[in-house]
């Protein structure tokens, strides 16, 4: 489904590019209707224009139907103030800024802006993101549906309560890095045992892909899926024992919890500003 709306990105980081790539590849919004603004890196803008044939000059926020905030948290307040007088009730403001709640952004913009906070992950670059979405206090159902349509084009979308967004960060927003770290270690072990690196890399990636596909397409619990692979006293069972003995299972749990806590910490300054 191709949307007729125009979309303006404030920020040109990796996540903005991932979303742009996804919506262009899935033909959700045509490239001529996509605008990007970034005051900190002109070369980055030129690179995006050359790669995706989008607009980087004369970004008129007043004419954009959708505005995507895609910068670091430290630049957010300045960006919000720069568009404050250009935001009308019909515009949809989508934030992919980590850890910043919608109430803070609504306060900065004033009035009753239609705010939507989303947490996609970098797998959106290949159309396989897991994205969480939560709506602000003044956002219409139609605007939520619009945002769902945009982000459904780059993967799966889950509408959740905003108070659960930090948890989602731990299992989806940051988790690709955890999987890459695991895959890197598996590749290293395979090479040390004598398997060519070129084979190890892609065999591991295909195994992760296939395992995920089974989870999505079958109804077995994780415990049942593990049991199906790990015959008693077989190679897999011994590997799982080693994983447990060296703290692997505990490390995974602690990694997710640490991510959740850090996400909460990053959001605290914005909550404090509102409470003054």
């Amino acid at each position: 489904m191709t949307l007729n709306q125009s979309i303006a990105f404030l920020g040109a980081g990796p996540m903005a590019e991932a979303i742009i790539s996804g919506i262009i590849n899935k033909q959700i919004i045509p490239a001529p209707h996509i605008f990007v603004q970034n005051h900190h890196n002109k070369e980055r803008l030129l690179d995006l224009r050359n790669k995706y044939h989008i607009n980087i000059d004369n970004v008129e926020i007043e004419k954009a139907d959708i505005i995507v905030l895609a910068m670091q948290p430290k630049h957010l307040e300045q960006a919000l103030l720069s568009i404050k007088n250009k935001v009308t009730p019909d515009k949809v403001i989508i934030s992919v800024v980590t850890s910043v709640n919608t109430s803070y952004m609504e306060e900065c913009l004033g009035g009753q802006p239609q705010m939507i906070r989303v947490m996609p992950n970098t797998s959106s670059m290949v159309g396989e993101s897991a994205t969480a979405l939560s709506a602000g206090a003044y956002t219409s159902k139609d605007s939520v549906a619009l945002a769902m349509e945009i982000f459904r084009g780059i993967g799966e979308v889950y509408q959740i309560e905003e108070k659960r967004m930090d948890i989602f960060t731990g299992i989806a927003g940051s988790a690709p890095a955890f999987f890459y770290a695991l895959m890197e270690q598996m590749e290293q072990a395979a090479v040390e045992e004598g398997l060519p690196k070129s084979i190890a890399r892609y065999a591991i990636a295909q195994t992760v892909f296939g395992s995920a596909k089974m989870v999505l397409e079958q109804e077995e619990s994780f415990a049942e899926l593990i049991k199906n692979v790990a015959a008693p006293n077989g190679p897999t069972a011994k590997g799982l024992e080693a994983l447990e003995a060296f703290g692997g299972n505990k490390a995974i749990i602690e990694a997710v919890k640490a991510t959740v806590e850090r996400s909460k910490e990053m959001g605290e300054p914005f909550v404090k500003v509102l409470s003054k």
Side-chain angles (χ1 to χ4, degrees):
M1 177 180 179
T2 301
L3 302 175
N4 292 323
Q5 282 86 354
S6 60
I7 185 168
F9 288 80
L10 304 188
M15 184 53 68
E17 180 175 4
I19 298 168
I20 291 167
S21 174
I23 61 180
I24 289 177
N25 289 338
K26 292 295 182 69
Q27 300 181 346
I28 298 170
I29 296 177
H33 293 184
I34 300 174
F35 300 82
V36 182
Q37 177 177 296
N38 187 319
H39 299 302
H40 303 287
N41 193 335
K42 185 67 173 180
E43 291 184 3
R44 171 68 172 163
L45 286 179
L46 293 173
D47 180 60
L48 290 175
R49 183 179 66 182
N50 293 336
K51 188 182 294 186
Y52 300 105
H53 308 291
I54 57 177
N55 302 285
I56 64 170
D57 299 316
N58 301 319
V59 178
E60 298 183 23
I61 299 301
E62 297 91 337
K63 296 183 179 179
D65 301 302
I66 305 159
I67 301 171
V68 179
L69 306 170
M71 69 286 297
Q72 296 179 21
K74 64 182 180 180
H75 299 307
L76 178 60
E77 183 175 1
Q78 180 182 356
L80 289 169
L81 293 177
S82 72
I83 65 172
K84 181 175 182 178
N85 296 327
K86 303 174 183 178
V87 174
T88 52
D90 59 313
K91 294 188 186 301
V92 180
I93 317 298
I94 299 176
S95 170
V96 296
V97 180
T98 303
S99 306
V100 182
N101 58 49
T102 55
S103 59
Y104 169 82
M105 293 180 280
E106 290 166 349
E107 184 79 9
C108 287
L109 289 172
Q112 298 183 346
Q114 296 198 69
M115 285 294 323
I116 297 176
R117 178 181 170 188
V118 298
M119 171 52 68
N121 61 32
T122 54
S123 299
S124 57
M125 199 70 152
V126 293
E128 296 293 348
S129 177
T131 299
L133 178 152
S134 60
Y138 311 108
T139 306
S140 70
K141 292 182 179 180
D142 286 344
S143 294
V144 170
L146 173 64
M148 293 282 283
E149 186 69 32
I150 291 172
F151 285 91
R152 193 176 289 118
I154 57 174
E156 296 295 327
V157 188
Y158 311 92
Q159 186 172 2
I160 64 175
E161 295 177 275
E162 188 167 17
K163 66 181 181 180
R164 306 188 192 282
M165 193 67 84
D166 294 315
I167 305 170
F168 196 88
T169 297
I171 65 164
S174 300
F178 303 157
F179 290 121
Y180 296 146
L182 174 63
M183 293 164 73
E184 182 180 40
Q185 298 306 311
M186 292 178 68
E187 179 188 76
Q188 179 179 329
V191 171
E192 289 178 358
E193 290 294 320
L195 190 67
K197 185 174 182 178
S198 58
I199 295 177
R201 175 183 175 87
Y202 293 102
I204 292 167
Q206 178 61 36
T207 300
V208 172
F209 176 79
S211 300
K213 190 173 177 66
M214 289 186 69
V215 171
L216 292 172
E217 295 183 358
Q218 300 185 20
E219 296 182 356
E220 287 91 342
S221 66
F222 287 114
E224 290 171 328
L225 290 168
I226 292 171
K227 185 178 179 180
N228 291 341
V229 182
N233 205 35
T236 306
K238 289 299 181 183
L240 289 170
E241 289 176 10
L243 185 65
E244 179 70 25
F246 285 91
N249 294 337
K250 177 71 172 176
I252 293 168
I253 293 172
E254 292 303 318
V256 173
K257 288 184 175 180
T259 302
V260 174
E261 289 307 308
R262 179 55 181 154
S263 183
K264 291 178 179 178
E265 289 173 0
M266 290 177 64
E268 285 177 359
F270 301 98
V271 175
K272 290 177 181 177
V273 169
L274 285 176
S275 66
K276 289 181 180 180

